[in-house]
Amino acid sequence: MSELTTLAKPVDMSGGFKDFFDTIGLTGGGLVTKGIAAVIAIIALRMLLQLSNDPKGALQKGSFAVGTLFVAVILALYGDTLFSTVTNAKG
């Protein structure tokens, strides 16, 4: 008889989405922030792919696209910290 090898310990997910987000280390707000950053990054990549043949216009549109991609990266890295100051405000 062969022995079964356990690859991962069992995790109780009876709490639903909250348990799932806790296992991946994200809150609901953090997940939304990452989703928004992903959408902005896709828009920036599409902007980069649609550059024109005019050198001046291509440089301008390319710089807008790179700036948008930079905003998406910053939002993905620090968005949960930035938005936590808004949602955890004490007055």
Side-chain angles (χ1 to χ4, degrees):
M1 269 230 180
S2 65
E3 289 185 28
L4 295 177
T5 308
T6 304
L7 295 177
K9 68 177 183 170
V11 177
D12 180 25
M13 292 285 185
S14 60
F17 284 115
K18 183 182 180 318
D19 288 336
F20 173 70
F21 292 140
D22 288 342
T23 59
I24 61 174
L26 282 177
T27 61
L31 188 65
V32 169
T33 304
K34 300 270 191 259
I36 292 170
V39 169
I40 292 173
I42 290 171
I43 291 170
L45 291 176
R46 185 166 183 232
M47 288 169 62
L48 278 173
L49 292 175
Q50 291 182 344
L51 295 179
S52 64
N53 291 333
D54 176 34
K56 185 177 179 182
L59 183 63
Q60 184 179 16
K61 287 182 180 181
S63 64
F64 285 144
V66 169
T68 305
L69 193 58
F70 177 74
V71 168
V73 168
I74 294 300
L75 186 61
L77 292 175
Y78 303 111
D80 53 346
T81 306
L82 292 171
F83 290 127
S84 70
T85 60
V86 175
T87 57
N88 295 335
K90 296 176 183 173

